[in-house]
Amino acid sequence: MKEKNFARARQVLVDAIQKHPEAATDNQIRRHVVEAINEQIGEENRKIYLNNRPDTVAYFNRIYDLYVAALACDSVEQHNIQQKQSIGKKAKVQQRFYLGQTLLPYRTNLLGGGKFFYKKKDYASAFRFLHLYVQTKVSPIFVDSKGDSILNDPNDRTSVAVLAVLSAYASENPAQVLNYLPDALHDDELRPQLLEIGSKTAIQQGDTLLYAQLLQQGFDAYPDTEYFFMTLVRFYNNTLAYDCALKCSLRMTNLHPQRRDYWYMAGTEQQLLQLYDDALISYQKCVEIQADDAEAYASIGSIYLHRAHVAYTHFDLPRTHPDYVRQKATITKQYQQACTAYEQARKFAEGNTALWLSGLREAYFKLNRGKALKGLEKYK
């Protein structure tokens, strides 16, 4: 240290701490490490001031190391004090004031290091700095003898949390994404992107409850952000929560009554919930908006075909029964309506036989339209 070979002094001290337990628990030796690193920072500061080829990366990393060393020194001192007090010896804090005052001038630089590495796209390093900056906001090392904080940090918790989330996400650190997300979500401008990042991280971590909550928050606040709507509906469908998916879809039809896709999704959910009358209304809206909507016509056909199947299942009356003719006519009408819808689907998407061929073949068969049925033989 006297020779101002601070790098060598630091290395000797670190080697001693690593090799000898008694050195690791000596808070004075720990303090010497802090002093050596602080002197190294001073050297780099002078290079910056003189514009003498300063190493910016080394400068920030030494500030980070200084914080880590000071926190370790304080921790060792507190442990030693507790040990002495446990056997009845008096002991008081000696290093904490020095440590806090040593670190205090570098608060802005610690945060600056995080921003520096973030701009360099070294996101793992950026997160280390940002995390340490936030952690030490409440560190006792920055508390005076009266219990008051000596920090003069600005009110930057939200902005730093945003950078921490983005850095953690970019460096594949999902646990810390979720750790900083609540504070970051106070940023109104970036909240949609943060909710999306949070939801993707939550499902990556297997937290389906948080995943759904974040998606729902996003959809509630930003329904026009397609990611929230589509992902939330997919989640509800995968978990068989069709009623929840329907609520989302109906909200979108209210917001965008001329968007065909939202009506089709609503019809799909209504069909899954066996709300067939409602589904027919939704599909009909589709064809009103898009006259050549083969998918919607096919879905309409499937509903009428289903109704015909149900009616036929319950049709067990003898021919002499007064209601026989009426019920038979009802079933025939259902097949006729299915047939009309499937024919429209065929008209607008003849090449997509999966939409209409099977249903139309059945309708023709039940309606005794032999010639039309024979005409379907060319389709496979």
Side-chain angles (χ1 to χ4, degrees):
M1 291 288 282
K2 288 180 180 178
E3 294 173 359
K4 297 186 179 181
N5 189 349
F6 304 118
R8 178 62 182 154
R10 177 183 174 185
Q11 189 60 55
V12 169
L13 291 163
V14 169
D15 288 345
I17 289 169
Q18 290 176 346
K19 294 177 182 178
H20 306 289
E22 62 272 27
T25 56
D26 187 318
N27 50 282
Q28 186 59 48
I29 289 178
R30 293 279 185 174
R31 173 167 172 160
H32 287 323
V33 176
V34 173
E35 292 168 344
I37 299 173
N38 194 33
E39 293 290 353
Q40 285 185 294
I41 294 171
E43 289 178 334
E44 208 60 49
N45 250 330
R46 285 187 286 275
K47 291 181 184 178
I48 293 172
Y49 180 76
L50 298 172
N51 196 23
N52 184 23
R53 292 184 298 175
D55 186 337
T56 307
V57 172
Y59 174 68
F60 282 126
N61 280 331
R62 283 168 184 167
I63 290 173
Y64 181 89
D65 292 344
L66 179 71
Y67 266 74
V68 172
L71 291 170
C73 180
D74 184 66
S75 177
V76 166
E77 183 179 46
Q78 300 313 306
H79 175 76
N80 292 341
I81 289 172
Q82 291 173 2
Q83 289 287 94
K84 290 177 181 178
Q85 290 175 341
S86 68
I87 57 175
K89 292 185 178 181
K90 291 183 179 181
K92 63 180 182 178
V93 176
Q94 294 179 325
Q95 309 279 15
R96 180 169 283 176
F97 177 77
Y98 160 77
L99 296 171
Q101 291 299 320
T102 300
L103 295 183
L104 191 59
Y106 300 113
R107 289 298 292 172
T108 302
N109 304 95
L110 185 64
L111 177 57
K115 294 177 178 179
F116 170 82
F117 285 111
Y118 184 84
K119 289 179 181 177
K120 292 286 186 181
K121 297 184 180 182
D122 183 352
Y123 299 114
S125 294
F127 179 78
R128 284 192 304 118
F129 279 78
L130 297 165
H131 183 56
L132 188 58
Y133 177 80
V134 174
Q135 276 190 315
T136 49
K137 278 181 178 288
V138 292
S139 172
I141 209 168
F142 290 122
V143 175
D144 63 21
S145 58
K146 297 179 181 179
D148 298 323
S149 175
I150 63 173
L151 291 180
N152 54 0
D153 289 353
N155 183 16
D156 57 3
R157 194 172 190 91
T158 296
S159 61
V160 176
V162 169
L163 282 178
V165 167
L166 297 176
S167 299
Y169 185 68
S171 59
E172 299 181 356
N173 189 349
Q176 291 299 344
V177 171
L178 299 181
N179 179 36
Y180 280 99
L181 187 64
D183 281 333
L185 287 176
H186 289 104
D187 187 308
D188 293 333
E189 184 178 353
L190 294 176
R191 192 164 182 265
Q193 295 93 315
L194 292 166
L195 284 167
E196 181 175 340
I197 286 173
S199 65
K200 290 177 177 177
T201 303
I203 198 63
Q204 179 186 346
Q205 292 291 88
D207 192 338
T208 54
L209 179 60
L210 180 60
Y211 176 65
Q213 288 174 345
L214 293 172
L215 286 176
Q216 190 67 59
Q217 286 180 43
F219 178 65
D220 289 345
Y222 314 101
D224 285 329
T225 299
E226 197 75 2
Y227 169 79
F228 296 122
F229 170 64
M230 295 301 296
T231 311
L232 189 60
V233 167
R234 190 182 305 117
F235 170 78
Y236 284 142
N237 282 334
N238 289 340
T239 55
L240 308 183
Y242 302 127
D243 54 336
C244 295
L246 177 58
K247 287 179 183 178
C248 296
S249 299
L250 290 177
R251 184 182 180 196
M252 298 308 290
T253 63
N254 288 330
L255 290 173
H256 303 283
Q258 294 304 310
R259 288 281 295 275
R260 173 265 178 199
D261 290 350
Y262 296 141
W263 284 107
Y264 189 82
M265 293 183 74
T268 302
E269 303 303 335
Q270 289 159 338
Q271 205 168 344
L272 288 167
L273 290 165
Q274 300 181 13
L275 302 173
Y276 297 114
D277 289 341
D278 293 338
L280 283 173
I281 293 171
S282 294
Y283 292 137
Q284 193 58 46
K285 288 291 295 184
C286 290
V287 298
E288 288 174 11
I289 295 168
Q290 181 181 317
D292 62 348
D293 192 341
E295 281 187 305
Y297 277 119
S299 295
I300 291 171
S302 70
I303 292 176
Y304 283 123
L305 203 61
H306 170 75
R307 285 181 169 179
H309 292 163
V310 173
Y312 188 80
T313 301
H314 294 91
F315 182 56
D316 56 357
L317 298 176
R319 289 179 177 271
T320 56
H321 195 283
D323 289 334
Y324 178 87
V325 173
R326 181 181 59 81
Q327 289 195 17
K328 177 75 171 176
T330 298
I331 295 173
T332 300
K333 184 178 180 181
Q334 302 284 4
Y335 276 115
Q336 287 172 338
Q337 290 171 311
C339 182
T340 300
Y342 281 126
E343 285 178 335
Q344 288 293 95
R346 175 188 180 183
K347 175 183 176 181
F348 297 120
E350 187 174 6
N352 189 0
T353 55
L355 279 180
W356 54 266
L357 182 56
S358 176
L360 188 57
R361 182 180 285 124
E362 180 181 347
Y364 283 158
F365 177 78
K366 293 293 185 180
L367 294 171
N368 294 316
R369 297 184 183 180
K371 185 176 180 180
L373 184 60
K374 189 173 180 63
L376 296 180
E377 291 178 0
K378 64 180 180 180
Y379 298 102
K380 295 181 179 180

